[in-house]
Amino acid sequence: MAKKPPIAPPSADATEDEGIQPAKPARFHGSALAGASFDDVDLRDARLHNVSLAGAELDDVDLRDARLHNASLAGAKLDDVDLRDARLHNVSLAKAELDDVDLRDARLHNATLAGASLDDISLAGARINDADAAATRWSDASLRRARFEGSDLREVEIVGCAIDGLTIDGVRIDRLLEEAKARSHASQAPKATEKEAPTKKPKKERKP
């Protein structure tokens, strides 16, 4: 299938020349954009409601403060995408490929990440509620201060990730690991041998 041409925002020069106000945040409602290609696009504060982006390719896209509701990004490829402070509600990223994606301080509610590949992403300070992240692989990701609540994390693989302050259902995972490592080192340490009590020398008999 032929690749769709990238969607580009209007240039700043054109806006100034025409003497018009900057464009309002983009709004997509009930749009079918499956397989679409977004390259170098500014979609800050965009609103995407009932949108299908399944299999789409997003490269160098700015989605800061965007709102995605009932959106499908299943099987999509996201590379160099900025989703800081975004709100994702009822969003599917199943089997999607996320590389260099910034989700700092984002909010994900009822999101599907099952089977997704997440490499070099940041979820620092993010809040993830009721998410399906089963069988996902997290590589070289920042999960600092991220919070997971009521989420399915079965068979999740975390490799080379920063987890300082990561909390799952109220439990600090970094502290849990530190305690487990401490117990492991303690159990492997050689036990100190008890000192043998010194033997008393027999008393010499006095001569009569």
Side-chain angles (χ1 to χ4, degrees), residues 141-156:
S142 174
L143 298 170
R144 290 187 174 97
R145 298 175 289 100
R147 289 179 176 273
F148 287 82
E149 297 288 344
S151 299
D152 187 349
L153 301 173
R154 289 174 295 174
E155 299 183 17
V156 170

Side-chain angles (χ1 to χ4, degrees), residues 8-171:
S11 66
D13 293 339
T15 301
E16 292 176 1
D17 293 342
E18 296 172 9
I20 60 175
Q21 296 295 324
K24 293 181 180 180
R27 293 180 181 274
F28 300 88
H29 183 83
S31 303
L33 298 169
S37 175
F38 292 79
D39 188 2
D40 191 15
V41 182
D42 186 347
L43 289 172
R44 280 174 290 182
D45 298 303
R47 301 293 184 265
L48 293 87
H49 183 71
N50 289 340
V51 173
S52 174
L53 284 161
E57 295 184 9
L58 284 72
D59 187 6
D60 190 17
V61 177
D62 191 343
L63 279 162
R64 281 175 287 176
D65 295 298
R67 301 291 185 269
L68 286 76
H69 186 261
N70 290 344
S72 174
L73 287 155
K77 294 183 179 180
L78 284 69
D79 188 6
D80 190 17
V81 176
D82 194 340
L83 279 160
R84 281 175 289 173
D85 296 299
R87 301 292 184 269
L88 290 78
H89 184 79
N90 290 344
V91 172
S92 174
L93 286 160
K95 297 184 179 179
E97 296 179 16
L98 281 69
D99 187 6
D100 191 17
V101 175
D102 195 342
L103 281 156
R104 281 176 290 174
D105 298 310
R107 300 290 184 271
L108 288 79
H109 180 71
N110 197 22
T112 300
L113 294 162
S117 173
L118 304 103
D119 183 31
D120 190 22
I121 73 167
S122 178
L123 274 166
R127 301 291 182 268
I128 302 97
N129 299 319
D130 300 323
D132 179 4
T136 53
R137 187 178 190 277
W138 306 70
S139 175
D140 193 23
S142 174
L143 298 170
R144 290 187 174 97
R145 298 175 289 100
R147 289 179 176 273
F148 287 82
E149 297 288 344
S151 299
D152 187 349
L153 301 173
R154 289 174 295 174
E155 299 183 17
V156 170
E157 183 179 359
I158 297 177
V159 181
C161 297
I163 60 170
D164 309 26
L166 170 62
T167 303
I168 298 177
D169 289 335
V171 179

